[in-house]
Amino acid sequence: MNFKKLIKNLGFQILVAMLAGTALGIAMGPEAKLFAPLGDLFIGLIKMLVVPLVAISIISGAASLGATKSAGKIGISTIGYFLITTIVSVSLGLMLGEIFSPGKGLDKESVLAMFPSEEAPVHQQTDFWTTLQSIIPENPIESLVSGNILQIIFFGLFLGIGISTLPQQKKAPLMNGMNYLIEALIWMIKVVMWTAPIGVFGLMASSIGSFGFDLLKMALDLMWVNLIGGALLLFGLYPLTLKLFSKTSIRQFFAKMTKAQIVALSTSSSMATLPVNMEVCEEELGVSKATSGFVLPLGATINMTGSALYYALVAVFFAQLFGIELSMGQYIAIIITSTVGSIGQAGVPGPSLLVVAVLVSAEIPVAGLPLLYALDRVFDMLRTAFNITGDAACAIIVDRFNK
């Protein structure tokens, strides 16, 4: 019975596809590029869903967040904490990516030859104000058609906040409609993800056939850099905020959080971990039920510091892989899209399509993304553990200042 469940598990299927593609790549050599279109088809399906998912998620999220003004001081302090730690997390990801350079080591021309459908875009160097001005869409519909992620995010936030100001009887039908659309998109994502093993197989066969294990080793290097970044969040940023803004013992905090972190690692879902996290915060860390009931569900939905770290790292990784020197405008695009995108991400397990949005916003090719899906379960486990630890730290701090 357990074996049957294992066979049906998507993560297991992707792992088997990765190993099969690797073996075929070794056996066939450069001729294995014959299977590259399988990866291209998978990438095409993902790209198809990114724009509608980002647009609707951002509008819905902003409309929900706009309503938290009624929560007053608790709402402001909670969202402020999540926003600041997410920006720090994105900046940390960019910094570690540049320091450790996990995407460097392969010849640029060879990489482009491996992905003939993708060419590294020539990015125009722009100053800060030009980049900022370009975020404001002259025509939001045109932004949707062209897939301009930053403009979509800006308009989505603006529209969502506008919806949040409407009376409840007018707002409810709009919110229900968007929630139904998100449910439909999630169904589509699940269907597309069942083709992930085929896409990973095609890409691994092609890449290993061209470069041997060099490319896979780079993906493993990215995982180690992600671990370093997560450790800095877990044992640096969160304890620092607790030390400065609460009276909770750091040692006690980590001792009590172990239970919730184990659940997060096993489920890769902030939502699935929510009941355990609430129990730990209320019964073992002394957070009031009122604060816990507000902060933790909101955190499971919008606090994705671990995800934001991962998005920034992946963006730098692929920029290095394709030999792109990131400009200030691209860094700004990565920071904005990673921060706002992670806030709009649902707390459910699975490879994140928001990675595609971050890459597209910074004009970085996405063709090599299936390389990371083979390891995505590991990445997902880690970022979920980072996320829920940040939720708990926020609940403790907010509770202290809002007794």
Side-chain angles (χ1 to χ4, degrees):
M1 182 66 181
N2 289 335
F3 181 72
K4 287 183 178 179
K5 285 184 177 179
L6 186 65
I7 293 294
K8 293 179 180 179
N9 183 273
L10 181 60
F12 177 74
Q13 292 175 9
I14 290 175
L15 179 61
V16 170
M18 181 190 75
L19 295 174
T22 301
L24 187 67
I26 293 171
M28 294 184 64
E31 293 181 7
K33 291 183 74 172
L34 170 70
F35 296 96
L38 295 176
D40 293 338
L41 287 171
F42 177 57
I43 287 291
L45 288 170
I46 290 177
K47 282 183 173 181
M48 174 183 70
L49 296 174
V50 169
V51 169
L53 180 67
V54 170
I56 297 169
S57 297
I58 293 299
I59 295 170
S60 176
S64 301
L65 286 178
T68 60
K69 61 186 178 184
S70 60
K73 192 176 177 183
I74 294 179
I76 292 170
S77 53
T78 300
I79 294 168
Y81 182 92
F82 290 158
L83 191 60
I84 291 169
T85 53
T86 301
I87 291 172
V88 170
S89 180
V90 172
S91 303
L92 181 64
L94 292 174
M95 183 179 69
L96 290 174
E98 296 294 349
I99 291 172
F100 290 99
S101 302
K104 290 185 178 178
L106 292 181
D107 177 68
K108 176 183 174 182
E109 297 303 321
S110 300
V111 173
L112 291 176
M114 188 183 103
F115 302 110
S117 62
E118 290 276 0
E119 292 185 3
V122 178
H123 189 82
Q124 298 294 324
Q125 295 289 331
T126 55
D127 59 30
F128 174 81
W129 292 111
T130 303
T131 302
L132 202 60
Q133 189 176 356
S134 69
I135 294 171
I136 303 172
E138 293 183 5
N139 183 344
I141 304 301
E142 184 182 342
S143 301
L144 288 168
V145 173
S146 63
N148 190 316
I149 299 296
L150 287 180
Q151 292 184 355
I152 292 169
I153 288 175
F154 179 87
F155 182 77
L157 285 171
F158 208 175
L159 178 59
I161 294 170
I163 291 172
S164 74
T165 65
L166 296 174
Q168 183 60 32
Q169 66 271 22
K170 293 181 179 179
K171 180 171 65 175
L174 288 171
M175 293 297 295
N176 289 337
M178 284 187 288
N179 289 335
Y180 296 148
L181 280 173
I182 290 172
E183 287 180 20
L185 283 166
I186 288 173
W187 177 85
M188 293 173 71
I189 291 166
K190 288 179 180 177
V191 172
V192 169
M193 286 315 303
W194 282 112
T195 68
I198 300 171
V200 170
F201 170 80
L203 193 84
M204 290 304 297
S206 173
S207 59
I208 296 298
S210 301
F211 299 113
F213 289 101
D214 290 345
L215 207 56
L216 188 58
K217 179 182 177 296
M218 293 170 78
L220 291 171
D221 289 342
L222 177 68
M223 187 173 72
W224 289 116
V225 178
N226 189 63
L227 271 173
I228 293 169
L232 290 174
L233 287 180
L234 208 58
F235 304 114
L237 179 62
Y238 299 148
L240 177 64
T241 58
L242 286 170
K243 186 74 175 176
L244 292 175
F245 303 111
S246 82
K247 297 180 179 179
T248 301
S249 162
I250 305 300
R251 181 177 296 179
Q252 181 189 25
F253 173 75
F254 281 109
K256 302 298 184 184
M257 280 301 296
T258 304
K259 184 198 300 185
Q261 288 169 341
I262 289 172
V263 174
L265 287 169
S266 60
T267 63
S268 300
S269 170
S270 298
M271 288 297 183
T273 311
L274 181 59
V276 180
N277 208 11
M278 293 182 75
E279 178 191 345
V280 169
C281 286
E282 291 171 11
E283 298 181 10
E284 301 184 38
L285 292 172
V287 178
S288 69
K289 288 191 175 183
T291 303
S292 173
F294 178 87
V295 174
L296 295 181
L298 186 63
T301 307
I302 73 167
N303 182 37
M304 302 291 166
T305 46
S307 302
L309 170 76
Y310 174 71
Y311 298 159
L313 267 175
V314 169
V316 175
F317 173 79
F318 280 114
Q320 292 170 349
L321 185 66
F322 286 97
I324 300 170
E325 291 293 331
L326 293 173
S327 67
M328 178 57 70
Q330 286 170 297
Y331 279 121
I332 292 171
I334 293 169
I335 291 171
I336 293 174
T337 312
S338 297
T339 302
V340 181
S342 64
I343 288 173
Q345 180 190 4
V348 295
S352 175
L353 292 186
L354 267 303
V355 177
V356 182
V358 174
L359 295 177
V360 171
S361 72
E363 300 179 11
I364 299 170
V366 300
L369 202 54
L371 280 173
L372 305 184
Y373 286 164
L375 301 170
D376 193 78
R377 185 64 178 182
V378 178
F379 283 119
D380 212 2
M381 290 164 61
L382 295 172
R383 58 187 180 240
T384 303
F386 304 150
N387 292 341
I388 63 103
T389 305
D391 295 345
C394 179
I396 291 170
I397 292 168
V398 169
D399 194 53
R400 185 205 166 185
F401 285 100
N402 294 281
K403 284 290 187 184

